[in-house]
Amino acid sequence: LMATYKGRDAKKYWDNDWKRKWNDVWWPASDFAEKTYPTMQKENLKKILDIGSGNGRDSLYFAGKGLNVTAVDISESAISMLKKENKKNIKCFCRDVGNIEFPDNSFDVVYGHLILHYFTDKELKIIMSKIYRMLKSSGYLFVKCKSTKDPLFGKGEKIEENTYFDGHLRHFFTEEYMQEILKDFRILEINEISLKKQTIGHKYKAAFIEASVRKE
């Protein structure tokens, strides 16, 4: 779905981004991974799909906890970094998240840290239907996306509501919009957060919407 936009190749963009910025940098697990793992542990969830895994910092964290991880990212350079770790309980796929296809009821968890805000509303609805299908009954979905309160909101060319193109597409979320795209799930928690310090790789205080939901 996100492969091209106005002649810009998303795969090429993210390949170059990972090569340029992060090839020699390794990050610890994200705070979102650390925040969501206790639920996975408590509910004995073992099989996780990490969409938009990047270089796999969260995939490696979950694998280190004994989970079986399927990591998917559009960037070959990012996936190659993860493959170098050679973890037996991580399967890696270089794919556009918008085009992921795994069998029905494949995963206990779908985990999306800063990935779903790269799609238009139409694309998101297609992706959400796929996630719902791929999750097992009582499976969990954890997602974190850019908020409309983020400093980058409004920068670039407006594509549709709360969606802008500035080198790549960014779709900024409100709590209401997060509830809307998750309407087929049982919503457990939705929070808006603003980091009080700069994030890794960014020199500004970012704002996000986080959600935890379950397939009934």
Side-chain angles (χ1 to χ4, degrees), residues 100-112:
I100 52 175
E101 293 291 349
F102 292 99
D104 294 0
N105 309 307
S106 292
F107 301 100
D108 298 313
V109 176
V110 175
Y111 173 86

Side-chain angles (χ1 to χ4, degrees), residues 135-185:
L135 264 180
K136 296 178 181 178
S137 179
S138 298
Y140 284 72
L141 169 63
F142 302 105
V143 294
K144 180 175 181 176
C145 299
K146 285 279 192 186
S147 164
T148 53
K149 295 179 182 177
D150 190 88
L152 294 180
F153 178 74
K155 294 190 175 183
E157 177 190 355
K158 187 172 183 178
I159 306 306
E160 60 185 30
E161 185 176 4
N162 296 336
T163 306
Y164 298 84
F165 186 83
D166 184 20
H168 59 84
L169 188 143
R170 290 191 184 95
H171 188 162
F172 297 86
F173 281 49
T174 62
E175 289 190 44
E176 292 75 19
Y177 184 70
M178 183 68 87
Q179 289 174 348
E180 178 187 336
I181 68 163
L182 297 173
K183 65 181 185 299
D184 292 335
F185 297 85

Side-chain angles (χ1 to χ4, degrees), residues 13-203:
Y13 177 92
W14 292 112
D15 269 337
N16 291 337
D17 187 69
W18 279 103
K19 288 176 183 176
R20 182 178 68 252
K21 294 181 181 178
W22 319 123
N23 204 26
D24 297 321
V25 178
W26 198 254
W27 300 349
S30 70
D31 60 342
F32 193 56
E34 294 176 340
K35 188 182 296 185
T36 55
Y37 173 69
T39 299
M40 302 179 200
Q41 183 180 39
K42 179 182 177 183
E43 299 296 328
N44 196 31
L45 308 174
K46 295 296 185 183
K47 197 171 182 182
I48 180 171
L49 173 62
D50 183 359
I51 56 174
S53 61
N55 65 354
R57 60 174 177 150
D58 289 348
S59 289
L60 288 166
Y61 171 78
F62 293 131
K65 299 292 188 180
L67 279 64
N68 295 312
V69 182
T70 298
V72 178
D73 198 275
I74 197 172
S75 170
E76 289 183 10
S77 55
I79 288 295
S80 68
M81 293 180 216
L82 181 53
K83 284 183 175 179
K84 288 178 183 177
E85 296 298 313
N86 196 29
K87 299 292 184 182
K88 292 182 179 179
N89 55 335
I90 301 180
K91 295 179 181 178
C92 303
F93 296 90
C94 183
R95 294 180 187 170
D96 180 344
V97 167
N99 297 323
I100 52 175
E101 293 291 349
F102 292 99
D104 294 0
N105 309 307
S106 292
F107 301 100
D108 298 313
V109 176
V110 175
Y111 173 86
H113 178 242
L114 307 183
I115 177 63
L116 294 184
H117 54 222
Y118 294 128
F119 298 91
T120 64
D121 178 67
K122 181 180 179 180
E123 291 168 340
L124 271 171
K125 287 171 180 173
I126 295 171
I127 292 169
M128 296 310 300
S129 66
K130 291 183 178 184
I131 289 174
Y132 189 89
R133 176 183 60 76
M134 292 185 293
L135 264 180
K136 296 178 181 178
S137 179
S138 298
Y140 284 72
L141 169 63
F142 302 105
V143 294
K144 180 175 181 176
C145 299
K146 285 279 192 186
S147 164
T148 53
K149 295 179 182 177
D150 190 88
L152 294 180
F153 178 74
K155 294 190 175 183
E157 177 190 355
K158 187 172 183 178
I159 306 306
E160 60 185 30
E161 185 176 4
N162 296 336
T163 306
Y164 298 84
F165 186 83
D166 184 20
H168 59 84
L169 188 143
R170 290 191 184 95
H171 188 162
F172 297 86
F173 281 49
T174 62
E175 289 190 44
E176 292 75 19
Y177 184 70
M178 183 68 87
Q179 289 174 348
E180 178 187 336
I181 68 163
L182 297 173
K183 65 181 185 299
D184 292 335
F185 297 85
R186 179 185 173 191
I187 294 176
L188 304 174
E189 190 172 17
I190 293 180
N191 293 312
E192 186 158 10
I193 66 166
S194 180
L195 299 184
K196 293 181 169 54
K197 60 181 179 179
Q198 70 179 40
T199 57
I200 296 175
H202 298 90
K203 297 179 180 179

